[in-house]
Amino acid sequence: MEKSYNRLIENNRVWVEEKLTLDPDYFKRKALGQKPEFLWVGCSDSRVPANEITNTEAGEIFVHRNIANMVVHTDLNFMSVLQYAVEVLNVKHIIVCGHYGCGGVNAAMGTDSHGLVNKWLRNIKEVYAKYESELDAIDDNTLRSNRLVELNVIEQVHNLAKTSIVQKAWASRTLQVHGWVYGLDSGRIKDLGCMVDEIEDLEAIFRFEFHKTAVKG
Ligand code: CO
């Protein structure tokens, strides 16, 4: 079997040399700590690497990626990332970035059963159901998928706003939640203009009231 993974180690060696040539203290500085301004919630798709498509460096973006860039409030992995990013790193912006042609979204639009991942895709199907009349009116499959990708991002932005973690931050400081979509065939990011940054952006039923006692969860 070809050991294709050896290429990654070799690439790493070359990369380290390049970095050290430009700046001998590069890794020493990185090791001191991180102060990223952004939390990125993106798709696991290999073609949407957060740092590369935003032309940013290691240390600039705190990243969480999963199938179809979902914000699921029972997902302990994501909620832990969110809490750390907001309460410890004090990120100023959370960016949900979907992408057109998302395999997760396309799978959710279909009727095939995929085993375990059905449980994850179910969250996207709920988005479809919420916007069924708008989506069913789009005949072209690609255009309908593209619109669901956008609506899914908007829903995840709102799912972030529904968390006590984001709302507690809003009570004392500025925190913006943005919704973007990346075009695989253009390389361009589109801002969907669905930014939320205050509790009034949310339906009343989802608003928490914070009292003097410490808020948990
Ligand atoms: Co995807």
Side-chain angles (χ1 to χ4, degrees), residues 43 45 68 99 102-104:
C43 184
D45 191 302
H99 68 102
C102 183

Side-chain angles (χ1 to χ4, degrees), residues 210-216:
F210 296 114
H211 302 284
K212 284 172 203 158
T213 48
V215 176
K216 300 260 162 59

